[in-house]
Amino acid sequence: MNTMQRKWKTALSFAFAIIAIQIPATATPWVSAYYTTWTVGSPAPADIDMRPITHLLFFALAPNADGTLTDTDGGITANATAVKTVAHNAGKKVLICIGGGGTAANFRGAISSAHRAAFVTNITNWMTTNGYDGVDIDMEPMASTDAADYQAFITALRTSIGSTKLLTAAVEPYGFPSIFAPIQGQFNQINVMTYDMSGAWPGWCSWHNANLYQGGQFMPSTGNPMPSAEGSVNTYPSVSIIGETVRYTKCNPYRGRRMVKSVGFSHLQWSARKRRS
């Protein structure tokens, strides 16, 4: 029997980038890249090549259930000024990311009615004190029951940071469009995470990490279509799209200005290991 073992390796120093092509095509593309605390030093903030990037997202402060923020490894506090400086010196924007994978439980406490006001204030104060241009919210994994509190939180955060600051969100590829459709006007961009679409998970088979199309392939164990960027974006038909890197036929009626497809700048290495009897 072969056991699939997944090894994570970073192909580039950025964890991943989010790319959008603005409409009209002659406009300057909005190209965002996440700069993570675990890659600080390779490259150092001063060595980031900002030429292809328009928006740098510093990842990430973690939410606490009481609405406070935690700099888990100290990397945000130690490098916030340097990251801002490299972006602003290049005439580009810099945003602070709040959250990341596995932060949903703390988010739920922070965005509840009991702690929402404090949470919004803490995010706004950090952004303002450190001279950042906006905030990126990455709550995952979300659930349908998060709708009311999340929508109230985003609405309050937009009011707090003001209309001149940027507000973006990273959303799961097959997530909850019903949560985002009513509040899409609060965001400058909604970034669909169209990567990490396969893994060494129970019931899974080998598949692409960030493929564009499903290609007529189906999951052997369930018969469901294999995941793809096209399928992911098509789950958000009621959320307008900020230009596609690929012209998805089904998405054309929804072409707008707020949703983005993401591209992974990392790779997975798969290896087969024979289990001894």
mmCIF file with all atom_site columns, all heavy atoms in Angstrom, residues 150-166:
data_model
loop_
_atom_site.group_PDB
_atom_site.id
_atom_site.type_symbol
_atom_site.label_atom_id
_atom_site.label_alt_id
_atom_site.label_comp_id
_atom_site.label_asym_id
_atom_site.label_entity_id
_atom_site.label_seq_id
_atom_site.pdbx_PDB_ins_code
_atom_site.Cartn_x
_atom_site.Cartn_y
_atom_site.Cartn_z
_atom_site.occupancy
_atom_site.B_iso_or_equiv
_atom_site.pdbx_formal_charge
_atom_site.auth_seq_id
_atom_site.auth_comp_id
_atom_site.auth_asym_id
_atom_site.auth_atom_id
_atom_site.pdbx_PDB_model_num
ATOM 1   N N   . TYR A 1 150 ? -20.848 38.560 10.872 1.00 0.00 ? 150 TYR A N   1
ATOM 2   C CA  . TYR A 1 150 ? -19.809 38.974 9.924  1.00 0.00 ? 150 TYR A CA  1
ATOM 3   C C   . TYR A 1 150 ? -20.254 40.211 9.153  1.00 0.00 ? 150 TYR A C   1
ATOM 4   O O   . TYR A 1 150 ? -19.478 41.153 8.980  1.00 0.00 ? 150 TYR A O   1
ATOM 5   C CB  . TYR A 1 150 ? -19.500 37.831 8.958  1.00 0.00 ? 150 TYR A CB  1
ATOM 6   C CG  . TYR A 1 150 ? -18.337 38.123 8.032  1.00 0.00 ? 150 TYR A CG  1
ATOM 7   C CD1 . TYR A 1 150 ? -17.022 37.875 8.430  1.00 0.00 ? 150 TYR A CD1 1
ATOM 8   C CD2 . TYR A 1 150 ? -18.548 38.650 6.763  1.00 0.00 ? 150 TYR A CD2 1
ATOM 9   C CE1 . TYR A 1 150 ? -15.956 38.151 7.590  1.00 0.00 ? 150 TYR A CE1 1
ATOM 10  C CE2 . TYR A 1 150 ? -17.492 38.924 5.916  1.00 0.00 ? 150 TYR A CE2 1
ATOM 11  C CZ  . TYR A 1 150 ? -16.199 38.668 6.324  1.00 0.00 ? 150 TYR A CZ  1
ATOM 12  O OH  . TYR A 1 150 ? -15.141 38.952 5.478  1.00 0.00 ? 150 TYR A OH  1
ATOM 13  N N   . GLN A 1 151 ? -21.480 40.212 8.692  1.00 0.00 ? 151 GLN A N   1
ATOM 14  C CA  . GLN A 1 151 ? -21.979 41.367 7.940  1.00 0.00 ? 151 GLN A CA  1
ATOM 15  C C   . GLN A 1 151 ? -22.008 42.625 8.801  1.00 0.00 ? 151 GLN A C   1
ATOM 16  O O   . GLN A 1 151 ? -21.634 43.716 8.345  1.00 0.00 ? 151 GLN A O   1
ATOM 17  C CB  . GLN A 1 151 ? -23.363 41.052 7.380  1.00 0.00 ? 151 GLN A CB  1
ATOM 18  C CG  . GLN A 1 151 ? -23.339 40.006 6.277  1.00 0.00 ? 151 GLN A CG  1
ATOM 19  C CD  . GLN A 1 151 ? -24.708 39.454 5.945  1.00 0.00 ? 151 GLN A CD  1
ATOM 20  O OE1 . GLN A 1 151 ? -25.716 39.771 6.607  1.00 0.00 ? 151 GLN A OE1 1
ATOM 21  N NE2 . GLN A 1 151 ? -24.781 38.617 4.920  1.00 0.00 ? 151 GLN A NE2 1
ATOM 22  N N   . ALA A 1 152 ? -22.414 42.485 10.053 1.00 0.00 ? 152 ALA A N   1
ATOM 23  C CA  . ALA A 1 152 ? -22.424 43.634 10.961 1.00 0.00 ? 152 ALA A CA  1
ATOM 24  C C   . ALA A 1 152 ? -21.011 44.125 11.230 1.00 0.00 ? 152 ALA A C   1
ATOM 25  O O   . ALA A 1 152 ? -20.757 45.337 11.309 1.00 0.00 ? 152 ALA A O   1
ATOM 26  C CB  . ALA A 1 152 ? -23.122 43.259 12.272 1.00 0.00 ? 152 ALA A CB  1
ATOM 27  N N   . PHE A 1 153 ? -20.084 43.174 11.368 1.00 0.00 ? 153 PHE A N   1
ATOM 28  C CA  . PHE A 1 153 ? -18.680 43.523 11.604 1.00 0.00 ? 153 PHE A CA  1
ATOM 29  C C   . PHE A 1 153 ? -18.089 44.287 10.427 1.00 0.00 ? 153 PHE A C   1
ATOM 30  O O   . PHE A 1 153 ? -17.454 45.341 10.606 1.00 0.00 ? 153 PHE A O   1
ATOM 31  C CB  . PHE A 1 153 ? -17.885 42.249 11.881 1.00 0.00 ? 153 PHE A CB  1
ATOM 32  C CG  . PHE A 1 153 ? -16.399 42.383 11.699 1.00 0.00 ? 153 PHE A CG  1
ATOM 33  C CD1 . PHE A 1 153 ? -15.652 43.255 12.478 1.00 0.00 ? 153 PHE A CD1 1
ATOM 34  C CD2 . PHE A 1 153 ? -15.747 41.627 10.730 1.00 0.00 ? 153 PHE A CD2 1
ATOM 35  C CE1 . PHE A 1 153 ? -14.274 43.382 12.294 1.00 0.00 ? 153 PHE A CE1 1
ATOM 36  C CE2 . PHE A 1 153 ? -14.378 41.733 10.541 1.00 0.00 ? 153 PHE A CE2 1
ATOM 37  C CZ  . PHE A 1 153 ? -13.638 42.615 11.321 1.00 0.00 ? 153 PHE A CZ  1
ATOM 38  N N   . ILE A 1 154 ? -18.274 43.778 9.228  1.00 0.00 ? 154 ILE A N   1
ATOM 39  C CA  . ILE A 1 154 ? -17.707 44.427 8.040  1.00 0.00 ? 154 ILE A CA  1
ATOM 40  C C   . ILE A 1 154 ? -18.301 45.817 7.857  1.00 0.00 ? 154 ILE A C   1
ATOM 41  O O   . ILE A 1 154 ? -17.593 46.786 7.522  1.00 0.00 ? 154 ILE A O   1
ATOM 42  C CB  . ILE A 1 154 ? -17.934 43.563 6.793  1.00 0.00 ? 154 ILE A CB  1
ATOM 43  C CG1 . ILE A 1 154 ? -17.092 42.279 6.869  1.00 0.00 ? 154 ILE A CG1 1
ATOM 44  C CG2 . ILE A 1 154 ? -17.610 44.344 5.525  1.00 0.00 ? 154 ILE A CG2 1
ATOM 45  C CD1 . ILE A 1 154 ? -15.593 42.507 6.925  1.00 0.00 ? 154 ILE A CD1 1
ATOM 46  N N   . THR A 1 155 ? -19.591 45.939 8.063  1.00 0.00 ? 155 THR A N   1
ATOM 47  C CA  . THR A 1 155 ? -20.243 47.246 7.923  1.00 0.00 ? 155 THR A CA  1
ATOM 48  C C   . THR A 1 155 ? -19.676 48.240 8.941  1.00 0.00 ? 155 THR A C   1
ATOM 49  O O   . THR A 1 155 ? -19.386 49.407 8.609  1.00 0.00 ? 155 THR A O   1
ATOM 50  C CB  . THR A 1 155 ? -21.759 47.103 8.111  1.00 0.00 ? 155 THR A CB  1
ATOM 51  O OG1 . THR A 1 155 ? -22.280 46.195 7.124  1.00 0.00 ? 155 THR A OG1 1
ATOM 52  C CG2 . THR A 1 155 ? -22.455 48.453 7.976  1.00 0.00 ? 155 THR A CG2 1
ATOM 53  N N   . ALA A 1 156 ? -19.495 47.786 10.175 1.00 0.00 ? 156 ALA A N   1
ATOM 54  C CA  . ALA A 1 156 ? -18.934 48.656 11.213 1.00 0.00 ? 156 ALA A CA  1
ATOM 55  C C   . ALA A 1 156 ? -17.477 49.000 10.928 1.00 0.00 ? 156 ALA A C   1
ATOM 56  O O   . ALA A 1 156 ? -17.033 50.143 11.160 1.00 0.00 ? 156 ALA A O   1
ATOM 57  C CB  . ALA A 1 156 ? -19.052 47.979 12.579 1.00 0.00 ? 156 ALA A CB  1
ATOM 58  N N   . LEU A 1 157 ? -16.719 48.035 10.413 1.00 0.00 ? 157 LEU A N   1
ATOM 59  C CA  . LEU A 1 157 ? -15.305 48.284 10.116 1.00 0.00 ? 157 LEU A CA  1
ATOM 60  C C   . LEU A 1 157 ? -15.158 49.289 8.984  1.00 0.00 ? 157 LEU A C   1
ATOM 61  O O   . LEU A 1 157 ? -14.313 50.187 9.050  1.00 0.00 ? 157 LEU A O   1
ATOM 62  C CB  . LEU A 1 157 ? -14.607 46.973 9.755  1.00 0.00 ? 157 LEU A CB  1
ATOM 63  C CG  . LEU A 1 157 ? -13.106 47.057 9.466  1.00 0.00 ? 157 LEU A CG  1
ATOM 64  C CD1 . LEU A 1 157 ? -12.340 47.617 10.666 1.00 0.00 ? 157 LEU A CD1 1
ATOM 65  C CD2 . LEU A 1 157 ? -12.558 45.685 9.076  1.00 0.00 ? 157 LEU A CD2 1
ATOM 66  N N   . ARG A 1 158 ? -15.990 49.177 7.955  1.00 0.00 ? 158 ARG A N   1
ATOM 67  C CA  . ARG A 1 158 ? -15.936 50.150 6.852  1.00 0.00 ? 158 ARG A CA  1
ATOM 68  C C   . ARG A 1 158 ? -16.235 51.548 7.363  1.00 0.00 ? 158 ARG A C   1
ATOM 69  O O   . ARG A 1 158 ? -15.547 52.524 7.008  1.00 0.00 ? 158 ARG A O   1
ATOM 70  C CB  . ARG A 1 158 ? -16.914 49.741 5.759  1.00 0.00 ? 158 ARG A CB  1
ATOM 71  C CG  . ARG A 1 158 ? -17.173 50.834 4.716  1.00 0.00 ? 158 ARG A CG  1
ATOM 72  C CD  . ARG A 1 158 ? -15.879 51.371 4.120  1.00 0.00 ? 158 ARG A CD  1
ATOM 73  N NE  . ARG A 1 158 ? -15.314 50.473 3.141  1.00 0.00 ? 158 ARG A NE  1
ATOM 74  C CZ  . ARG A 1 158 ? -14.093 50.623 2.616  1.00 0.00 ? 158 ARG A CZ  1
ATOM 75  N NH1 . ARG A 1 158 ? -13.320 51.637 3.019  1.00 0.00 ? 158 ARG A NH1 1
ATOM 76  N NH2 . ARG A 1 158 ? -13.620 49.785 1.719  1.00 0.00 ? 158 ARG A NH2 1
ATOM 77  N N   . THR A 1 159 ? -17.239 51.664 8.210  1.00 0.00 ? 159 THR A N   1
ATOM 78  C CA  . THR A 1 159 ? -17.569 52.979 8.768  1.00 0.00 ? 159 THR A CA  1
ATOM 79  C C   . THR A 1 159 ? -16.410 53.526 9.578  1.00 0.00 ? 159 THR A C   1
ATOM 80  O O   . THR A 1 159 ? -16.076 54.715 9.499  1.00 0.00 ? 159 THR A O   1
ATOM 81  C CB  . THR A 1 159 ? -18.823 52.877 9.651  1.00 0.00 ? 159 THR A CB  1
ATOM 82  O OG1 . THR A 1 159 ? -19.929 52.424 8.860  1.00 0.00 ? 159 THR A OG1 1
ATOM 83  C CG2 . THR A 1 159 ? -19.162 54.220 10.278 1.00 0.00 ? 159 THR A CG2 1
ATOM 84  N N   . SER A 1 160 ? -15.753 52.661 10.335 1.00 0.00 ? 160 SER A N   1
ATOM 85  C CA  . SER A 1 160 ? -14.675 53.096 11.213 1.00 0.00 ? 160 SER A CA  1
ATOM 86  C C   . SER A 1 160 ? -13.433 53.537 10.444 1.00 0.00 ? 160 SER A C   1
ATOM 87  O O   . SER A 1 160 ? -12.840 54.571 10.773 1.00 0.00 ? 160 SER A O   1
ATOM 88  C CB  . SER A 1 160 ? -14.311 51.970 12.178 1.00 0.00 ? 160 SER A CB  1
ATOM 89  O OG  . SER A 1 160 ? -13.280 52.359 13.052 1.00 0.00 ? 160 SER A OG  1
ATOM 90  N N   . ILE A 1 161 ? -13.036 52.775 9.435  1.00 0.00 ? 161 ILE A N   1
ATOM 91  C CA  . ILE A 1 161 ? -11.800 53.124 8.720  1.00 0.00 ? 161 ILE A CA  1
ATOM 92  C C   . ILE A 1 161 ? -12.035 54.221 7.687  1.00 0.00 ? 161 ILE A C   1
ATOM 93  O O   . ILE A 1 161 ? -11.097 54.882 7.243  1.00 0.00 ? 161 ILE A O   1
ATOM 94  C CB  . ILE A 1 161 ? -11.154 51.902 8.049  1.00 0.00 ? 161 ILE A CB  1
ATOM 95  C CG1 . ILE A 1 161 ? -12.025 51.357 6.918  1.00 0.00 ? 161 ILE A CG1 1
ATOM 96  C CG2 . ILE A 1 161 ? -10.838 50.827 9.086  1.00 0.00 ? 161 ILE A CG2 1
ATOM 97  C CD1 . ILE A 1 161 ? -11.371 50.220 6.131  1.00 0.00 ? 161 ILE A CD1 1
ATOM 98  N N   . GLY A 1 162 ? -13.292 54.417 7.292  1.00 0.00 ? 162 GLY A N   1
ATOM 99  C CA  . GLY A 1 162 ? -13.608 55.472 6.344  1.00 0.00 ? 162 GLY A CA  1
ATOM 100 C C   . GLY A 1 162 ? -13.541 55.009 4.898  1.00 0.00 ? 162 GLY A C   1
ATOM 101 O O   . GLY A 1 162 ? -12.967 53.961 4.573  1.00 0.00 ? 162 GLY A O   1
ATOM 102 N N   . SER A 1 163 ? -14.092 55.804 4.021  1.00 0.00 ? 163 SER A N   1
ATOM 103 C CA  . SER A 1 163 ? -14.200 55.429 2.610  1.00 0.00 ? 163 SER A CA  1
ATOM 104 C C   . SER A 1 163 ? -12.894 55.546 1.845  1.00 0.00 ? 163 SER A C   1
ATOM 105 O O   . SER A 1 163 ? -12.752 54.973 0.758  1.00 0.00 ? 163 SER A O   1
ATOM 106 C CB  . SER A 1 163 ? -15.262 56.298 1.929  1.00 0.00 ? 163 SER A CB  1
ATOM 107 O OG  . SER A 1 163 ? -14.901 57.671 2.008  1.00 0.00 ? 163 SER A OG  1
ATOM 108 N N   . THR A 1 164 ? -11.924 56.267 2.387  1.00 0.00 ? 164 THR A N   1
ATOM 109 C CA  . THR A 1 164 ? -10.661 56.445 1.658  1.00 0.00 ? 164 THR A CA  1
ATOM 110 C C   . THR A 1 164 ? -9.671  55.309 1.922  1.00 0.00 ? 164 THR A C   1
ATOM 111 O O   . THR A 1 164 ? -8.672  55.191 1.210  1.00 0.00 ? 164 THR A O   1
ATOM 112 C CB  . THR A 1 164 ? -9.995  57.777 2.029  1.00 0.00 ? 164 THR A CB  1
ATOM 113 O OG1 . THR A 1 164 ? -9.692  57.787 3.429  1.00 0.00 ? 164 THR A OG1 1
ATOM 114 C CG2 . THR A 1 164 ? -10.904 58.948 1.687  1.00 0.00 ? 164 THR A CG2 1
ATOM 115 N N   . LYS A 1 165 ? -9.920  54.496 2.933  1.00 0.00 ? 165 LYS A N   1
ATOM 116 C CA  . LYS A 1 165 ? -9.055  53.355 3.216  1.00 0.00 ? 165 LYS A CA  1
ATOM 117 C C   . LYS A 1 165 ? -9.569  52.121 2.487  1.00 0.00 ? 165 LYS A C   1
ATOM 118 O O   . LYS A 1 165 ? -10.741 52.023 2.129  1.00 0.00 ? 165 LYS A O   1
ATOM 119 C CB  . LYS A 1 165 ? -8.987  53.091 4.720  1.00 0.00 ? 165 LYS A CB  1
ATOM 120 C CG  . LYS A 1 165 ? -8.338  54.218 5.516  1.00 0.00 ? 165 LYS A CG  1
ATOM 121 C CD  . LYS A 1 165 ? -6.873  54.409 5.129  1.00 0.00 ? 165 LYS A CD  1
ATOM 122 C CE  . LYS A 1 165 ? -6.215  55.469 5.988  1.00 0.00 ? 165 LYS A CE  1
ATOM 123 N NZ  . LYS A 1 165 ? -4.774  55.654 5.647  1.00 0.00 ? 165 LYS A NZ  1
ATOM 124 N N   . LEU A 1 166 ? -8.675  51.169 2.266  1.00 0.00 ? 166 LEU A N   1
ATOM 125 C CA  . LEU A 1 166 ? -9.019  49.965 1.527  1.00 0.00 ? 166 LEU A CA  1
ATOM 126 C C   . LEU A 1 166 ? -9.495  48.859 2.467  1.00 0.00 ? 166 LEU A C   1
ATOM 127 O O   . LEU A 1 166 ? -8.940  48.672 3.546  1.00 0.00 ? 166 LEU A O   1
ATOM 128 C CB  . LEU A 1 166 ? -7.809  49.476 0.731  1.00 0.00 ? 166 LEU A CB  1
ATOM 129 C CG  . LEU A 1 166 ? -7.262  50.461 -0.303 1.00 0.00 ? 166 LEU A CG  1
ATOM 130 C CD1 . LEU A 1 166 ? -5.960  49.931 -0.905 1.00 0.00 ? 166 LEU A CD1 1
ATOM 131 C CD2 . LEU A 1 166 ? -8.293  50.722 -1.401 1.00 0.00 ? 166 LEU A CD2 1
#
